[in-house]
Amino acid sequence: MQLTDLTAVQLLDGYRKGEFTPVEATEQALQRARRIQPKVNAFVRLTEEDALARARESAERWRRGEPAGLLDGVPVTVKDILLLRGHPTLRGSKTVSDQGSWEEDAPSVARLREHGAVFLGKTTTPEYGWKGVTDSPLTGVTRNPYDPARTAGGSSGGSAAAVALGAGPLSLGTDGGGSIRIPAAFCGIFGLKPTYGRVPLYPASAFGTLSHVGPMTRDAADAALMMDVIAAPDARDWSALGPPPESFTAGLDQGVRGLRVAYSPNLGGQVAVRPAVAAAVRRAVAGLADLGAYVEETDPDFSDPVEAFHTLWFSGAARLTQSFSPHRRQLLDPGLREICAQGARYSALDYLAAVDVRMDLGRRMGRFHERYDLLVTPTLPITAFEADEEVPGRSGLRHWTGWTPFTYPFNLTQQPAATVPVGIDGDGLPVGMQIVAARHRDDLVLRASHALYEEGLTPSGN
C-alpha cells in the first residue's frame, strides 16, 4: 500500500485499525521527499532522525491505544518562515545565520507537536516570503509538480509541491497576499487562509496584519482537522482570536444547500481571466448550484486596491531590512531590494492613506456578506508559468501582484479564503477556485470546499 497517497484522515483511520503504523507512514513519506527533491526542490532540509524518533513514539502510543492528540503520527511539513524547535529557520535568506540553539516553536508548530504530529522537514520559500513565486538566493528555484519547467507559485511553494507529491499530507503555510492560495492553486491542492488571528503567529510578521498562517492539505477534511489543532490561542500573539466556538470538523458535512453564493468571474471586468480557467471555475460554480446553493453572478463593490496593498507590503519589507548593513543588503534577492527601496520612500501619511483604503474595503465586504454567505472567484486568472520568473513572460507586468488580483484583497480584509482544485487546463496544469466568506466564517468556506470534494467536483491528483 502506498501510504503517501492517503490523506491524514485516512492515515489516522489506519493507525486506529492497526493496518499500518506511523513508522511505516513516516518512512514512506521521507522516501517520497528524497525522491521528489531533485525534481521540484521543495525542501530546505529534511529532519529525518527527529521524524523517525517521533514516529516510533507515536507507534507505541497507538499500540497502547493512547494516541496523544488529533494528529498523532501524521507526517507534516513546515514552511521555513515558521520556527521549528531544534532546527534553523532561515526564511529563504543568506542574511539569516543558521547558528544558535533554535529552542522555540511557532504557535502553530507547538500545537502540532502537542498533538503528536511528525515533522518531516522545512519547505522552501522566497526570501522572507516576499513574492508569489518560490525562488531565493539561499535555496534556488522550487518547481511545479505537474511540469518542472513551471513555477510552483509562492510564497509557500515548497509546501504545495510537497503535499501534491505525497511528501506528507499536511503542511503549514503562511499567506500575506495569497501565499497559501497561489501555490495551492498552481499545484492542485487545497489551501486555506483562515480569518486573521484564528491561527496565532509568532514572531510577528514584518508585513503586519496582512499575514496569516494556515493549512495546505490534500482536501478540505484534512484542513478542518488541522484547524482543530492549530486554531488555539497563544499568549505570544497579542492579536490572536480566542478559542473557536466549535470544532471545524463538526459541520463539515452540512453541504451548501440554501447558502447564498455570489459568483464573480472577473471582479466586474477588472481581471482578464484565461478562458480555460474561466470555464473550469464556471463548471464548479454550476456544481454548487446543483448541490442546492443559490448562485447569483454578481461582483463585490470595490476597485483594485493594489496601490494600497503595495504601500503596506513594501513598507513592511523596508522595515524588515532597515537595519541591514550595505554588505548584508547586497545578499538580498534584487527584487526584494527594489521593493524595500520603494517602501522606504513612503511617508507615514502614505501608510495611513493605505489603511483608509483597507478599512473602506473591509466595510464594503462586510456589507456584501450581509447579502451573500460566500463569494466565489477564480483563485488566479492564469495557470502556472515559467519557473524562475516573478511574472509571466511577455506579460508586461512588473510585480507578482499583477497576476494575483483575486488573492491580496482578502488579506487586506482579513477574511477566510480557500482555493479548491476544480480542473486541469489544456497544458495539463491545475486550475483553482477561490471561496471567500465573511470574517470568522471559516466554517462556511470549509463546508463548501468539502462539498466539492465529496461530490467529485475536484480533479484527481497528479
Side-chain angles (χ1 to χ4, degrees):
M1 178 185 295
Q2 286 296 312
L3 303 184
T4 51
D5 294 335
L6 302 184
T7 66
V9 170
Q10 290 168 332
L11 285 176
L12 290 164
D13 187 56
Y15 299 161
R16 195 172 294 111
K17 294 175 179 176
E19 295 173 348
F20 43 79
T21 71
V23 174
E24 294 170 289
T26 299
E27 287 174 342
Q28 287 195 25
L30 287 169
Q31 289 168 6
R32 180 66 61 88
R34 288 191 295 268
R35 189 157 66 247
I36 69 172
Q37 181 64 5
K39 176 184 177 184
V40 297
N41 187 33
F43 289 93
V44 179
R45 72 187 58 82
L46 294 174
T47 55
E48 299 189 44
E49 185 176 329
D50 286 357
L52 290 170
R54 286 185 63 81
R56 286 190 288 269
E57 292 168 358
S58 174
E60 176 58 23
R61 290 192 292 270
W62 279 105
R63 188 192 66 77
R64 298 195 308 264
E66 300 172 353
L70 295 178
L71 292 173
D72 201 351
V74 176
V76 177
T77 56
V78 178
K79 182 180 180 180
D80 200 37
I81 291 289
L82 298 168
L83 296 176
L84 175 64
R85 192 175 75 210
H87 302 281
T89 297
L90 303 181
R91 300 175 173 86
S93 184
K94 291 182 177 180
T95 69
V96 179
S97 170
D98 64 359
Q99 300 303 304
S101 56
W102 302 98
E103 295 179 348
E104 199 167 19
D105 282 329
S108 50
V109 175
R111 303 294 86 75
L112 289 171
R113 190 183 298 278
E114 290 163 5
H115 281 259
V118 172
F119 300 109
L120 298 179
K122 303 298 290 291
T123 56
T124 53
T125 176
E127 197 162 27
Y128 297 104
W130 79 271
K131 60 182 175 179
V133 293
T134 301
D135 58 73
S136 76
L138 182 69
T139 58
V141 180
T142 296
R143 299 178 181 276
N144 194 288
Y146 285 76
D147 180 354
R150 315 237 184 181
T151 180
S155 62
S156 307
S159 289
V163 171
L165 291 171
L170 307 178
S171 193
L172 276 175
T174 65
D175 190 316
S179 289
I180 285 172
R181 290 159 291 156
I182 294 165
F186 275 0
C187 294
I189 67 166
F190 182 77
L192 171 67
K193 177 187 76 69
T195 299
Y196 178 80
R198 178 50 64 207
V199 179
L201 175 61
Y202 171 86
S205 170
F207 302 109
T209 58
L210 294 171
S211 294
H212 306 225
V213 179
M216 304 179 72
T217 61
R218 302 285 284 274
D219 62 19
D222 271 10
L225 177 61
M226 196 172 176
M227 284 292 291
D228 277 348
V229 172
I230 63 177
D234 191 289
R236 294 172 292 175
D237 183 353
W238 65 270
S239 63
L241 299 174
E246 62 179 355
S247 166
F248 291 96
T249 61
L252 201 60
D253 295 322
Q254 291 180 8
V256 297
R257 183 168 299 280
L259 292 183
R260 302 162 298 167
V261 177
Y263 165 45
S264 178
N266 52 28
L267 294 181
Q270 297 182 78
V271 184
V273 179
R274 192 168 293 173
V277 172
V281 172
R282 190 172 289 276
R283 285 193 298 270
V285 170
L288 290 174
D290 291 342
L291 294 174
Y294 298 113
V295 177
E296 178 183 346
E297 187 168 326
T298 189
D299 302 300
D301 175 28
F302 66 80
S303 56
D304 187 356
V306 67
E307 293 306 321
F309 180 81
H310 281 170
T311 300
L312 300 172
W313 192 255
F314 296 176
S315 296
R319 176 69 178 124
L320 174 70
T321 60
Q322 183 179 26
S323 64
F324 283 17
S325 68
H327 169 72
R328 195 176 177 202
R329 194 174 295 273
Q330 281 303 118
L331 297 176
L332 293 171
D333 181 329
L336 177 56
R337 280 205 307 272
E338 178 186 344
I339 71 163
C340 288
Q342 184 170 340
R345 292 193 290 269
Y346 292 127
S347 69
L349 291 178
D350 293 328
Y351 192 93
L352 290 173
V355 172
D356 286 343
V357 171
R358 183 180 193 180
M359 290 190 292
D360 181 65
L361 179 61
R363 176 189 62 81
R364 289 171 185 268
M365 288 309 302
R367 296 299 299 269
F368 183 84
H369 284 291
E370 289 180 333
R371 302 190 302 277
Y372 301 102
D373 298 301
L374 297 171
L375 169 66
V376 171
T377 74
T379 306
L380 298 162
I382 59 175
T383 52
F385 53 89
E386 52 269 33
D388 204 18
E389 300 290 344
E390 184 183 346
V391 300
R394 300 177 300 281
S395 66
L397 299 173
R398 185 176 179 189
H399 294 299
W400 62 271
T401 45
W403 52 270
T404 61
F406 293 110
T407 59
Y408 56 77
F410 304 109
N411 292 81
L412 290 166
T413 62
Q414 303 186 339
Q415 293 171 248
T419 183
V420 183
V422 293
I424 301 292
D425 75 357
D427 294 324
L429 299 167
V431 173
M433 182 174 79
Q434 180 173 235
I435 302 176
V436 184
R439 292 175 74 242
H440 312 296
R441 293 314 308 265
D442 307 69
D443 60 314
L444 292 182
V445 172
L446 288 164
R447 269 176 56 187
S449 301
H450 184 62
L452 292 170
Y453 280 98
E454 288 293 282
E455 295 300 320
L457 297 173
T458 60
S460 57
N462 83 318

